[in-house]
């Protein structure tokens, strides 16, 4: 299983429009973060998790031209605003593009983009199959997917654990807390990428220190901090994290 980080930034991206802070003015590519999304590929299956407003730029930058299915974590716009660019993944396929999401997010997508879910659909536009997983595990090709319910403000939000063969990857880009049953699903993975917005406490996201504490408890072989804001310098964060952890950056690829 390969995991490619298409974006590692929080909702406004990094640099932030109009900001003059050191990270936003940095010329280091690792301090430039598109909105968070990952592409997971196996020998036979390609999965996209989240489709934020940078989807077009991400697909062009990393040569993503086809996906078998899309997973969505939640309805915040930094995770779904690139919906219309999913059209490129519909042109070459015979059936509709499966979009797996929680109940609330599936309903939101159908409200925002009704034409994409209408019977028939329009040639050239997104033709999607909205699939509510309701938190139950499902299979896409050779990838077993386990939704992981988490708390992130008032919006129904999921992380995912993806398993192909013996490789297990967890992805939880937006989270503040989670129930014990979700913690169990995330324990001892080969790699776990989790929300680390900033150093100060935040009402709906894990801080860097909260992320580290949770990573120590969940003990993945590799812990990755993602969905990071502009107050966090890549190299300072890399030096701050324990040995088994690293910051995500756009273009980071894991082979599990
Ligand atoms: Zn987000
Ligand atoms: Zn800034
Ligand atoms: Zn969010």
């Amino acid at each position: 299983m390969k995991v490619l980080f298409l974006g590692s930034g929080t909702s406004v991206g990094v640099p932030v429009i109009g900001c003059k802070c050191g990270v936003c003015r940095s010329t280091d590519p690792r301090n430039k973060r598109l909105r968070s999304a990952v592409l997971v590929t196996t020998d036979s299956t390609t999965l996209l998790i989240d489709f934020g407003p940078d989807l077009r730029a991400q697909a062009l930058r990393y040569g993503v031209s086809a996906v078998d299915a899309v997973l969505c974590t939640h309805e915040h716009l930094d995770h779904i605003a690139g919906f219309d660019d999913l059209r490129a993944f519909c042109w070459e396929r015979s059936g509709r593009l499966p979009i797996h999401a929680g109940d609330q997010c599936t309903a939101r997508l159908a409200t925002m983009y009704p034409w994409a879910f209408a019977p028939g659909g329009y040639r050239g536009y997104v033709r999607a199959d909205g699939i509510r997983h309701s938190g139950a595990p499902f299979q896409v090709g050779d990838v077993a997917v386990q939704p992981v319910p988490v708390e992130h403000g008032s919006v129904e939000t999921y992380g995912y654990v993806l398993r192909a063969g013996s490789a297990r990857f967890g992805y939880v880009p937006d989270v503040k807390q989670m129930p014990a049953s979700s913690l169990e699903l995330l324990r001892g993975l080969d790699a776990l990428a989790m929300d680390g917005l900033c150093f100060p406490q935040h009402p709906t996201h894990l801080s860097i220190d909260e992320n580290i504490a949770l990573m120590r408890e969940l003990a993945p072989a590799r812990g990755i901090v993602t969905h990071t804001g502009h107050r966090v310098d890549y190299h300072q964060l890399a030096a701050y994290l324990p040995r088994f952890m690293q910051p995500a950056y756009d273009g980071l690829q894991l082979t599990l």
Side-chain angles (χ1 to χ4, degrees):
M1 179 192 284
K2 284 194 163 60
V3 179
L4 173 64
F5 286 76
L6 303 174
S8 56
T10 188
S11 58
V12 292
V14 181
V16 176
I17 294 172
C19 184
K20 302 278 193 288
C21 81
V23 173
C24 287
R25 286 186 294 115
S26 166
T27 55
D28 190 324
R30 295 200 174 177
N31 277 328
K32 302 202 181 299
R33 305 181 179 116
L34 297 178
R35 267 55 77 90
S36 289
V38 293
L39 190 77
V40 177
T41 54
T42 67
D43 289 340
S44 60
T45 306
T46 301
L47 283 174
L48 171 69
I49 309 184
D50 288 339
F51 37 92
D54 295 318
L55 176 60
R56 178 174 178 275
Q58 293 165 328
L60 291 173
R61 180 184 289 178
Y62 300 108
V64 184
S65 56
V67 301
D68 294 300
V70 179
L71 275 53
C72 189
T73 57
H74 66 304
E75 66 185 64
H76 282 161
L77 286 175
D78 55 319
H79 300 261
I80 67 167
F83 184 90
D84 197 47
D85 288 318
L86 295 173
R87 66 169 71 184
F89 305 140
C90 296
W91 293 331
E92 297 296 326
R93 59 182 304 128
S94 51
R96 304 175 78 88
L97 179 66
I99 301 181
H100 300 268
D103 295 10
Q104 269 186 27
C105 183
T106 300
R108 175 70 68 195
L109 292 172
T111 305
M112 290 176 71
Y113 312 108
W115 40 269
F117 299 92
Y122 299 100
R123 244 185 108 77
Y125 294 95
V126 180
R127 284 172 300 114
D129 185 11
I131 304 171
R132 302 185 307 163
H133 55 59
S134 303
F138 57 97
Q139 188 87 20
V140 181
D142 62 350
V143 181
V145 183
Q146 172 66 62
V148 181
V150 300
E151 291 171 34
H152 169 54
S154 58
V155 171
E156 179 195 69
T157 303
Y158 286 93
Y160 293 101
V161 174
L162 281 64
R163 181 170 53 78
S166 63
R168 291 189 303 153
F169 169 65
Y171 185 64
V172 192
D174 294 56
V175 57
K176 180 64 182 179
Q177 292 181 57
M178 57 183 108
S181 52
S182 292
L183 291 171
E184 287 315 308
L185 297 172
L186 295 172
R187 222 174 271 285
L189 302 176
D190 297 301
L192 172 59
M194 203 158 58
D195 189 349
L197 181 73
C198 52
F199 282 96
Q201 296 270 320
H202 187 280
T204 62
H205 290 275
L206 292 175
S207 69
I208 302 294
D209 287 326
E210 288 170 335
N211 179 307
I212 294 171
L214 207 44
M215 285 286 190
R216 287 193 200 280
E217 182 184 343
L218 297 171
R222 292 178 76 173
I224 295 134
V225 179
T226 193
H227 204 286
T228 302
H230 71 132
R231 300 294 182 194
V232 181
D233 173 79
Y234 173 86
H235 297 282
Q236 285 177 1
L237 179 59
Y240 184 80
L241 294 174
R243 272 190 167 285
F244 75 102
M245 292 181 65
Q246 68 179 103
Y249 56 88
D250 293 19
L252 169 65
Q253 184 160 308
L254 311 175
T255 303
L256 306 175

